[in-house]
Amino acid sequence: MCGIVAYVGPKEAYPIIIEGLKRLEYRGYDSAGVSIINGGMHTFKCKGKVLDLEKIIEQDKVHGTLGMGHTRWATHGAPNDINAHPHLSGDSNLAIIHNGIIENYSTLRTALEKLGHTFVSETDTEVLIHLIEEIRNTEDLPLEEATRRALTKVVGAYAIVVLDKNDPNKIVGAKNSSPLVFGLGEKEFFLASDASPIVKFTDKVIYLEDEEIITIHRDGDYEIRTIENEVADPEIKQIDLNIEELEKGGYEHFMLKEIYQQPLTIAESMRGRLSADEGWAKLGGMEQHLNRFKQAKRIVLTACGTSWHAAMIAEYLFEDLARIPTEVEYASEFRYRNPIISPDDVIIALSQSGETADTLAAINLAKSKGAFIYGIVNNVGSTIARTTDSGSYIHCGPEIGVASTKAFTSQLTVLTLMAIILGYEKGKISEGYYRQLLSELESVPSLVAKILTKADQIKYIASEIRNTSNALYLGRGYNFPVALEGALKLKEISYIHAEGYPAAEMKHGPIALIDMYMPVVVIATNKSAHEKIVSNIQEVKARKGIVVAVVTEGDHIIKGMADFTIEIPYIEEPLSPLLSVVPLQLLSYYIAVMRGCHVDQPRNLAKSVTVE
Ligand code: G6P
């Protein structure tokens, strides 16, 4: 959802900003732009990616040691050169970059037009810079004070950076709902949407809070004030992120790297959290609140996208293993449908980025009703991690590919662990089964590694079905949400229309779509419903559909029926999504690559959705 980076220090700002934008491009890539101050404000911007921006830069104009850059995911106004950021004030003295949405921009725009302002773009952001200009010029205020006063009139979400060409030693930033991080290096300072453009230079950061405005002076003085003009007392934090984690490490795409990292990342998600041999499992954030969980009348999981699919699997886990009534809610629906929430409820919010606007709003709603909120988040220090009452990080490292893979399996690892702990603590599973589940969970990394050795076979299947326009994904029980996730992966990166369905529901509609051109991917590993899945496959074959089946090793029955099979190792059913999703990730990846799609940056999508 738009990436922001700004720099002031002794070095050339432009290369640092461009490199930072490339790291932030996962947030949006509809257009890009930079402003560098050097005896004037030099602004370049265009539709397209950061690489397109580099082509239009006039090198002699981007020398300078203070500047900012933006990569956009369009909200107001089409992705084109004019709507690209930075936006300038009417007198061209000020420039702004913005991530978020100014909800009352239309009212503000009308009022400013009456005062003689004219606008060149369709964006809400341009309105904001004109508002700052108006206040500043009318009242002759410093930039930071004009920005603060302007923001008191704004309704909406923002992370902004504002520059003044006549003040080449100052950067002003502010945030509300959208993230903004201040990096404190050796005589150099940064503002960015996340720490990825900063880590190369410093590990000291301050995460700005909502409605805070920061003024950074070239000499290193900085001040953070609230929108009410009170001086804030921020805490400098140390970030634990290294630059290698942000590189592709020899893989063609981040998505492929992240799929292949899973044996490691799943292990990281459980490190120090269980020992099957010694028969214990614990999650720090849960331990302190175990009674809340044990006494919960209900668990409500809320999330968006792939995280929502992980939440759906958790519904099966919590009800099956811990016998706690569980519901799953799209955060965007939950927040607006006046849900019944009681203080006895435990709300679990899942988010890879920790910044998703709808998930954050759902958390705040549940909080206001007195519920206990547990976060399962990847991005350390993110807004959701800071807003929840307690939680567990999934520790899978930065996920850069827009289509989520390793975060999904790490979310599942933590959720599975939670359900096992609760099942045992509530006396709903035996000591023997508890130990067996822990032991099988410990074996997941090596089993995933085994599945990854089948990449060539999966690539071959991809080559056979890559020209399809539609695909159906079927699964039952624990593997129904995996079918949804498999279909989502295919849609996201290859633009093939795909639907996930509970296998038995197929006959109530989707069966009408099946013909000799329709690939039907069936997750057929469930021991409990094996015969029923066999019947579902027969129904597909009777209509000449192309069956790609993910089966348990040694399943000759389905192998004899399906057009293609991918065998995965046996594991207890509650743990099976951790394995069955992996071949589906690879299948989508190879199909997308074969179709020439931009796997890491699929069209119209963004990794972190900080607008509703
Ligand atoms: C976006 C991403 C998805 C992600 C979803 C939720 O739509 O493209 O990959 O699953 O947001 O994101 P979160 O960071 O909250 O897990």
Side-chain angles (χ1 to χ4, degrees):
M1 260 335 74
C2 300
I4 282 180
V5 59
Y7 173 86
V8 59
K11 299 179 192 145
E12 283 286 334
Y14 174 71
I16 293 173
I17 290 166
I18 284 290
E19 193 185 330
L21 286 183
K22 286 182 182 162
R23 294 201 192 287
L24 288 172
E25 225 175 359
Y26 73 87
R27 302 180 66 87
Y29 30 82
D30 289 337
S31 61
V34 289
S35 283
I36 305 289
I37 294 188
N38 182 7
M41 181 91 69
H42 300 292
T43 299
F44 295 92
K45 55 184 190 171
C46 66
K47 178 176 187 282
K49 303 199 169 157
V50 179
L51 279 174
D52 299 307
L53 174 67
E54 285 180 288
K55 290 182 199 145
I56 63 150
I57 295 287
E58 293 169 51
Q59 288 298 336
D60 57 323
K61 295 211 176 126
V62 289
H63 290 299
T65 54
L66 185 147
M68 65 185 182
H70 186 266
T71 174
R72 177 169 187 241
W73 187 83
T75 54
H76 284 67
N80 59 29
D81 294 354
I82 292 173
N83 290 333
H85 300 211
H87 287 281
L88 302 181
S89 55
D91 59 12
S92 300
N93 283 335
L94 311 181
I96 190 170
I97 50 176
H98 169 217
N99 167 30
I101 291 184
I102 308 300
E103 288 171 16
N104 60 338
Y105 87 103
S106 167
T107 323
L108 294 171
R109 183 171 169 140
T110 309
L112 287 162
E113 277 168 345
K114 282 191 186 137
L115 294 169
H117 289 257
T118 52
F119 296 92
V120 293
S121 80
E122 303 155 281
T123 65
D124 50 343
T125 308
E126 193 188 7
V127 174
L128 184 51
I129 196 65
H130 278 250
L131 180 63
I132 296 170
E133 174 190 28
E134 176 64 30
I135 294 173
R136 177 184 180 150
N137 292 350
T138 315
E139 304 183 40
D140 194 19
L141 295 168
L143 182 61
E144 57 273 31
E145 179 56 12
T147 303
R148 187 189 70 77
R149 292 199 197 177
L151 292 175
T152 59
K153 301 184 190 310
V154 158
V155 179
Y158 53 80
I160 55 167
V161 180
V162 190
L163 302 182
D164 178 353
K165 79 170 180 197
N166 297 317
D167 196 349
N169 297 312
K170 189 195 279 177
I171 295 177
V172 173
K175 80 144 254 167
N176 187 42
S177 294
S178 306
L180 195 60
V181 187
F182 171 42
L184 299 92
E186 239 343 272
K187 297 193 178 125
E188 55 187 0
F189 305 93
F190 307 80
L191 277 178
S193 298
D194 70 31
S196 61
I198 299 175
V199 279
K200 194 171 162 189
F201 306 97
T202 179
D203 61 358
K204 289 195 196 60
V205 297
I206 291 173
Y207 294 100
L208 264 74
E209 297 294 336
D210 279 349
E211 300 199 325
E212 283 186 348
I213 296 142
I214 183 166
T215 313
I216 307 161
H217 300 274
R218 184 184 288 279
D219 63 8
D221 263 3
Y222 66 90
E223 187 179 52
I224 301 176
R225 284 182 178 265
T226 67
I227 203 159
E228 270 86 42
N229 210 13
E230 279 155 16
V231 178
D233 183 20
E235 190 191 339
I236 298 181
K237 298 215 162 119
Q238 201 154 345
I239 37 171
D240 180 19
L241 182 66
N242 64 54
I243 203 77
E244 291 76 41
E245 288 180 291
L246 303 171
E247 311 281 350
K248 282 191 205 149
Y251 287 90
E252 204 181 329
H253 297 101
F254 279 111
M255 181 178 177
L256 190 62
K257 174 188 169 192
E258 286 156 7
I259 292 173
Y260 271 86
Q261 277 185 309
Q262 288 176 111
L264 201 75
T265 50
I266 293 171
E268 279 300 303
S269 305
M270 38 184 166
R271 194 150 66 95
R273 291 173 164 173
L274 78 152
S275 163
D277 279 353
E278 293 166 20
W280 61 262
K282 62 165 195 261
L283 283 161
M286 205 180 160
E287 224 172 21
Q288 306 154 29
H289 304 280
L290 203 54
N291 281 336
R292 258 217 85 163
F293 276 97
K294 282 169 76 177
Q295 286 154 18
K297 294 245 164 33
R298 189 173 69 136
I299 291 177
V300 180
L301 294 123
T302 188
C304 303
T306 289
S307 297
W308 184 79
H309 292 154
M312 275 194 80
I313 295 169
E315 180 181 13
Y316 287 78
L317 285 164
F318 288 135
E319 295 209 337
D320 184 18
L321 301 180
R323 309 302 296 152
I324 303 175
T326 304
E327 288 167 29
V328 186
E329 296 264 7
Y330 279 117
S332 52
E333 288 297 313
F334 185 68
R335 62 181 290 193
Y336 286 122
R337 69 168 186 80
N338 195 14
I340 298 168
I341 306 163
S342 86
D344 297 331
D345 290 335
V346 167
I347 311 289
I348 301 178
L350 286 116
S351 176
Q352 185 286 127
S353 62
E355 302 293 349
T356 304
D358 283 322
T359 309
L360 187 59
I363 291 170
N364 287 329
L365 173 74
K367 239 184 174 180
S368 71
K369 311 252 181 204
F372 170 73
I373 325 281
Y374 199 80
I376 298 182
V377 172
N378 188 33
N379 192 359
V380 176
S382 56
T383 312
I384 291 179
R386 287 180 284 133
T387 310
T388 44
D389 295 310
S390 185
S392 300
Y393 283 118
I394 60 172
H395 293 308
C396 70
E399 191 181 62
I400 314 281
V402 166
S404 182
T405 52
K406 65 175 182 174
F408 178 74
T409 46
S410 282
Q411 287 169 335
L412 281 187
T413 304
V414 170
L415 290 163
T416 306
L417 208 47
M418 287 177 84
I420 296 172
I421 293 170
L422 282 174
Y424 183 63
E425 289 288 338
K426 286 182 72 98
K428 303 294 180 190
I429 55 174
S430 67
E431 171 90 27
Y433 192 43
Y434 170 68
R435 282 186 178 249
Q436 183 190 349
L437 288 175
L438 290 184
S439 156
E440 295 208 5
L441 190 55
E442 277 183 335
S443 73
V444 166
S446 62
L447 300 181
V448 169
K450 197 171 170 196
I451 295 169
L452 292 171
T453 64
K454 296 182 188 286
D456 282 343
Q457 187 201 341
I458 296 168
K459 203 178 202 168
Y460 169 71
I461 300 171
S463 72
E464 291 288 302
I465 60 172
R466 67 176 169 176
N467 291 323
T468 188
S469 310
N470 297 289
L472 203 56
Y473 283 69
L474 303 177
R476 299 185 80 112
Y478 279 103
N479 283 302
F480 159 51
V482 177
L484 295 179
E485 175 59 11
L488 178 65
K489 285 287 88 79
L490 191 68
K491 270 186 275 212
E492 282 179 310
I493 58 170
S494 71
Y495 318 137
I496 293 172
H497 168 239
E499 279 187 62
Y501 246 81
E505 274 292 305
M506 175 186 65
K507 57 185 168 296
H508 298 295
I511 200 163
L513 300 170
I514 296 174
D515 61 15
M516 62 195 292
Y517 305 109
M518 175 71 110
V520 182
V521 180
V522 187
I523 303 116
T525 55
N526 311 42
K527 200 164 67 175
S528 62
H530 190 262
E531 283 166 17
K532 298 197 187 304
I533 289 186
V534 168
S535 308
N536 297 141
I537 292 175
Q538 263 157 355
E539 288 157 12
V540 176
K541 283 313 307 170
R543 283 147 189 97
K544 299 194 168 51
I546 308 158
V547 172
V548 178
V550 178
V551 301
T552 307
E553 279 169 359
D555 184 339
H556 299 296
I557 299 176
I558 295 181
K559 215 169 171 180
M561 298 163 63
D563 298 84
F564 307 99
T565 47
I566 305 163
E567 290 188 72
I568 64 172
Y570 173 78
I571 196 158
E572 278 295 296
E573 223 160 291
L575 277 57
S576 61
L578 279 161
L579 303 189
S580 57
V581 74
V582 177
L584 306 188
Q585 296 168 342
L586 280 173
L587 188 65
S588 306
Y589 171 78
Y590 288 123
I591 291 175
V593 171
M594 286 169 194
R595 289 168 71 101
C597 299
H598 202 313
V599 170
D600 283 335
Q601 294 172 347
R603 70 182 180 208
N604 305 339
L605 296 180
K607 182 87 188 142
S608 173
V609 182
T610 51
V611 294
E612 60 171 290

PDB file of all heavy atoms in Angstrom, residues 33 61 67 77 89 138 173 179 199 215 294 319 367 388 404 434 470 509 512 564 574 579:
ATOM      1  N   GLY A  33       8.110   7.744  -7.804  1.00  0.00           N
ATOM      2  CA  GLY A  33       8.608   9.112  -7.967  1.00  0.00           C
ATOM      3  C   GLY A  33       9.597   9.483  -6.885  1.00  0.00           C
ATOM      4  O   GLY A  33       9.655   8.840  -5.829  1.00  0.00           O
ATOM      5  N   LYS A  61      20.305  16.298 -12.204  1.00  0.00           N
ATOM      6  CA  LYS A  61      19.355  17.007 -11.336  1.00  0.00           C
ATOM      7  C   LYS A  61      19.084  16.273 -10.026  1.00  0.00           C
ATOM      8  O   LYS A  61      18.325  16.756  -9.197  1.00  0.00           O
ATOM      9  CB  LYS A  61      18.031  17.193 -12.076  1.00  0.00           C
ATOM     10  CG  LYS A  61      18.166  18.096 -13.282  1.00  0.00           C
ATOM     11  CD  LYS A  61      16.874  18.833 -13.515  1.00  0.00           C
ATOM     12  CE  LYS A  61      17.039  19.806 -14.654  1.00  0.00           C
ATOM     13  NZ  LYS A  61      16.041  19.631 -15.677  1.00  0.00           N
ATOM     14  N   GLY A  67      16.207  14.064   0.353  1.00  0.00           N
ATOM     15  CA  GLY A  67      15.177  13.755  -0.636  1.00  0.00           C
ATOM     16  C   GLY A  67      14.229  12.687  -0.150  1.00  0.00           C
ATOM     17  O   GLY A  67      14.343  12.169   0.973  1.00  0.00           O
ATOM     18  N   GLY A  77      -7.584   7.976  -8.063  1.00  0.00           N
ATOM     19  CA  GLY A  77      -6.999   8.350  -9.344  1.00  0.00           C
ATOM     20  C   GLY A  77      -6.222   7.202  -9.958  1.00  0.00           C
ATOM     21  O   GLY A  77      -5.542   6.440  -9.269  1.00  0.00           O
ATOM     22  N   SER A  89       2.877  21.603  -3.983  1.00  0.00           N
ATOM     23  CA  SER A  89       1.940  22.671  -3.618  1.00  0.00           C
ATOM     24  C   SER A  89       1.756  23.584  -4.834  1.00  0.00           C
ATOM     25  O   SER A  89       2.504  23.483  -5.824  1.00  0.00           O
ATOM     26  CB  SER A  89       2.508  23.466  -2.446  1.00  0.00           C
ATOM     27  OG  SER A  89       3.808  23.937  -2.769  1.00  0.00           O
ATOM     28  N   THR A 138      -0.749  31.481   4.956  1.00  0.00           N
ATOM     29  CA  THR A 138      -1.644  32.439   5.604  1.00  0.00           C
ATOM     30  C   THR A 138      -1.097  32.845   6.967  1.00  0.00           C
ATOM     31  O   THR A 138      -1.170  33.991   7.362  1.00  0.00           O
ATOM     32  CB  THR A 138      -3.038  31.801   5.816  1.00  0.00           C
ATOM     33  OG1 THR A 138      -3.389  31.135   4.630  1.00  0.00           O
ATOM     34  CG2 THR A 138      -4.095  32.829   6.161  1.00  0.00           C
ATOM     35  N   GLY A 173       7.592  14.444   8.859  1.00  0.00           N
ATOM     36  CA  GLY A 173       6.796  13.241   8.591  1.00  0.00           C
ATOM     37  C   GLY A 173       5.652  13.150   9.590  1.00  0.00           C
ATOM     38  O   GLY A 173       5.691  13.790  10.649  1.00  0.00           O
ATOM     39  N   PRO A 179       1.861   2.878   8.520  1.00  0.00           N
ATOM     40  CA  PRO A 179       3.109   2.851   9.301  1.00  0.00           C
ATOM     41  C   PRO A 179       4.180   3.826   8.827  1.00  0.00           C
ATOM     42  O   PRO A 179       4.263   4.141   7.639  1.00  0.00           O
ATOM     43  CB  PRO A 179       3.587   1.412   9.105  1.00  0.00           C
ATOM     44  CG  PRO A 179       2.977   0.965   7.832  1.00  0.00           C
ATOM     45  CD  PRO A 179       1.688   1.706   7.655  1.00  0.00           C
ATOM     46  N   VAL A 199      17.738  -0.861   7.155  1.00  0.00           N
ATOM     47  CA  VAL A 199      18.613  -1.835   7.846  1.00  0.00           C
ATOM     48  C   VAL A 199      20.058  -1.817   7.387  1.00  0.00           C
ATOM     49  O   VAL A 199      20.960  -2.129   8.166  1.00  0.00           O
ATOM     50  CB  VAL A 199      18.128  -3.301   7.707  1.00  0.00           C
ATOM     51  CG1 VAL A 199      17.056  -3.593   8.682  1.00  0.00           C
ATOM     52  CG2 VAL A 199      17.716  -3.634   6.311  1.00  0.00           C
ATOM     53  N   THR A 215       9.814  16.013  13.180  1.00  0.00           N
ATOM     54  CA  THR A 215      10.626  16.983  12.437  1.00  0.00           C
ATOM     55  C   THR A 215      12.073  16.542  12.591  1.00  0.00           C
ATOM     56  O   THR A 215      12.557  16.365  13.715  1.00  0.00           O
ATOM     57  CB  THR A 215      10.468  18.394  13.038  1.00  0.00           C
ATOM     58  OG1 THR A 215       9.079  18.633  13.226  1.00  0.00           O
ATOM     59  CG2 THR A 215      11.063  19.449  12.134  1.00  0.00           C
ATOM     60  N   LYS A 294      -8.418 -21.051  28.282  1.00  0.00           N
ATOM     61  CA  LYS A 294      -9.116 -22.266  28.734  1.00  0.00           C
ATOM     62  C   LYS A 294     -10.577 -21.978  29.057  1.00  0.00           C
ATOM     63  O   LYS A 294     -11.452 -22.806  28.872  1.00  0.00           O
ATOM     64  CB  LYS A 294      -8.404 -22.848  29.962  1.00  0.00           C
ATOM     65  CG  LYS A 294      -7.145 -23.616  29.576  1.00  0.00           C
ATOM     66  CD  LYS A 294      -6.285 -23.964  30.753  1.00  0.00           C
ATOM     67  CE  LYS A 294      -6.823 -25.114  31.564  1.00  0.00           C
ATOM     68  NZ  LYS A 294      -5.883 -25.462  32.667  1.00  0.00           N
ATOM     69  N   GLU A 319     -11.664 -26.559  17.280  1.00  0.00           N
ATOM     70  CA  GLU A 319     -12.872 -27.327  17.614  1.00  0.00           C
ATOM     71  C   GLU A 319     -12.542 -28.814  17.746  1.00  0.00           C
ATOM     72  O   GLU A 319     -13.025 -29.493  18.641  1.00  0.00           O
ATOM     73  CB  GLU A 319     -13.971 -27.079  16.579  1.00  0.00           C
ATOM     74  CG  GLU A 319     -14.425 -25.620  16.608  1.00  0.00           C
ATOM     75  CD  GLU A 319     -15.864 -25.374  16.190  1.00  0.00           C
ATOM     76  OE1 GLU A 319     -16.426 -26.224  15.469  1.00  0.00           O
ATOM     77  OE2 GLU A 319     -16.417 -24.320  16.581  1.00  0.00           O
ATOM     78  N   LYS A 367     -11.739  -4.893  20.890  1.00  0.00           N
ATOM     79  CA  LYS A 367     -11.141  -4.332  22.110  1.00  0.00           C
ATOM     80  C   LYS A 367     -12.142  -3.437  22.822  1.00  0.00           C
ATOM     81  O   LYS A 367     -12.287  -3.487  24.049  1.00  0.00           O
ATOM     82  CB  LYS A 367      -9.921  -3.496  21.725  1.00  0.00           C
ATOM     83  CG  LYS A 367      -8.653  -3.975  22.348  1.00  0.00           C
ATOM     84  CD  LYS A 367      -7.523  -3.053  21.994  1.00  0.00           C
ATOM     85  CE  LYS A 367      -6.294  -3.477  22.761  1.00  0.00           C
ATOM     86  NZ  LYS A 367      -5.164  -2.649  22.495  1.00  0.00           N
ATOM     87  N   THR A 388      -2.435  -5.510  19.968  1.00  0.00           N
ATOM     88  CA  THR A 388      -3.082  -6.667  20.608  1.00  0.00           C
ATOM     89  C   THR A 388      -2.647  -6.791  22.083  1.00  0.00           C
ATOM     90  O   THR A 388      -1.632  -6.235  22.474  1.00  0.00           O
ATOM     91  CB  THR A 388      -2.697  -7.949  19.838  1.00  0.00           C
ATOM     92  OG1 THR A 388      -1.298  -7.903  19.564  1.00  0.00           O
ATOM     93  CG2 THR A 388      -3.433  -8.042  18.530  1.00  0.00           C
ATOM     94  N   SER A 404       1.495 -14.793  -0.489  1.00  0.00           N
ATOM     95  CA  SER A 404       2.031 -15.301   0.780  1.00  0.00           C
ATOM     96  C   SER A 404       2.211 -16.818   0.743  1.00  0.00           C
ATOM     97  O   SER A 404       1.328 -17.557   0.307  1.00  0.00           O
ATOM     98  CB  SER A 404       1.042 -14.927   1.896  1.00  0.00           C
ATOM     99  OG  SER A 404       1.537 -15.348   3.129  1.00  0.00           O
ATOM    100  N   TYR A 434      -1.236 -36.257  22.440  1.00  0.00           N
ATOM    101  CA  TYR A 434      -0.529 -34.972  22.589  1.00  0.00           C
ATOM    102  C   TYR A 434       0.929 -35.143  22.152  1.00  0.00           C
ATOM    103  O   TYR A 434       1.447 -34.396  21.321  1.00  0.00           O
ATOM    104  CB  TYR A 434      -0.627 -34.568  24.063  1.00  0.00           C
ATOM    105  CG  TYR A 434       0.215 -33.401  24.517  1.00  0.00           C
ATOM    106  CD1 TYR A 434      -0.039 -32.107  24.076  1.00  0.00           C
ATOM    107  CD2 TYR A 434       1.267 -33.601  25.430  1.00  0.00           C
ATOM    108  CE1 TYR A 434       0.733 -31.039  24.534  1.00  0.00           C
ATOM    109  CE2 TYR A 434       2.029 -32.538  25.889  1.00  0.00           C
ATOM    110  CZ  TYR A 434       1.753 -31.257  25.430  1.00  0.00           C
ATOM    111  OH  TYR A 434       2.507 -30.210  25.883  1.00  0.00           O
ATOM    112  N   ASN A 470      -9.545 -21.632 -16.506  1.00  0.00           N
ATOM    113  CA  ASN A 470     -10.244 -21.845 -15.230  1.00  0.00           C
ATOM    114  C   ASN A 470      -9.654 -23.051 -14.526  1.00  0.00           C
ATOM    115  O   ASN A 470      -9.123 -23.952 -15.177  1.00  0.00           O
ATOM    116  CB  ASN A 470     -11.729 -22.163 -15.486  1.00  0.00           C
ATOM    117  CG  ASN A 470     -12.427 -21.011 -16.156  1.00  0.00           C
ATOM    118  OD1 ASN A 470     -12.656 -19.972 -15.552  1.00  0.00           O
ATOM    119  ND2 ASN A 470     -12.738 -21.173 -17.442  1.00  0.00           N
ATOM    120  N   GLY A 509     -23.195 -27.149  -7.814  1.00  0.00           N
ATOM    121  CA  GLY A 509     -22.950 -25.988  -8.685  1.00  0.00           C
ATOM    122  C   GLY A 509     -21.754 -26.143  -9.592  1.00  0.00           C
ATOM    123  O   GLY A 509     -21.903 -26.326 -10.807  1.00  0.00           O
ATOM    124  N   ALA A 512     -21.170 -28.151 -12.922  1.00  0.00           N
ATOM    125  CA  ALA A 512     -21.655 -27.713 -14.238  1.00  0.00           C
ATOM    126  C   ALA A 512     -20.518 -27.186 -15.108  1.00  0.00           C
ATOM    127  O   ALA A 512     -20.622 -27.146 -16.330  1.00  0.00           O
ATOM    128  CB  ALA A 512     -22.720 -26.622 -14.054  1.00  0.00           C
ATOM    129  N   PHE A 564      -2.951 -36.781 -12.983  1.00  0.00           N
ATOM    130  CA  PHE A 564      -1.628 -36.488 -12.398  1.00  0.00           C
ATOM    131  C   PHE A 564      -1.738 -36.634 -10.889  1.00  0.00           C
ATOM    132  O   PHE A 564      -2.746 -36.208 -10.312  1.00  0.00           O
ATOM    133  CB  PHE A 564      -1.200 -35.043 -12.708  1.00  0.00           C
ATOM    134  CG  PHE A 564      -1.249 -34.700 -14.165  1.00  0.00           C
ATOM    135  CD1 PHE A 564      -2.339 -34.006 -14.697  1.00  0.00           C
ATOM    136  CD2 PHE A 564      -0.206 -35.060 -15.014  1.00  0.00           C
ATOM    137  CE1 PHE A 564      -2.388 -33.686 -16.035  1.00  0.00           C
ATOM    138  CE2 PHE A 564      -0.249 -34.728 -16.355  1.00  0.00           C
ATOM    139  CZ  PHE A 564      -1.344 -34.044 -16.873  1.00  0.00           C
ATOM    140  N   PRO A 574      -4.824 -33.328  11.401  1.00  0.00           N
ATOM    141  CA  PRO A 574      -4.788 -31.921  11.798  1.00  0.00           C
ATOM    142  C   PRO A 574      -3.533 -31.194  11.309  1.00  0.00           C
ATOM    143  O   PRO A 574      -3.527 -29.977  11.177  1.00  0.00           O
ATOM    144  CB  PRO A 574      -4.812 -31.981  13.333  1.00  0.00           C
ATOM    145  CG  PRO A 574      -5.434 -33.292  13.661  1.00  0.00           C
ATOM    146  CD  PRO A 574      -4.996 -34.233  12.576  1.00  0.00           C
ATOM    147  N   LEU A 579       1.513 -29.697   4.983  1.00  0.00           N
ATOM    148  CA  LEU A 579       2.196 -30.369   3.881  1.00  0.00           C
ATOM    149  C   LEU A 579       1.444 -30.157   2.561  1.00  0.00           C
ATOM    150  O   LEU A 579       2.044 -29.883   1.530  1.00  0.00           O
ATOM    151  CB  LEU A 579       2.305 -31.869   4.151  1.00  0.00           C
ATOM    152  CG  LEU A 579       3.006 -32.318   5.438  1.00  0.00           C
ATOM    153  CD1 LEU A 579       3.205 -33.835   5.432  1.00  0.00           C
ATOM    154  CD2 LEU A 579       4.361 -31.632   5.606  1.00  0.00           C
TER     155      LEU A 579
END
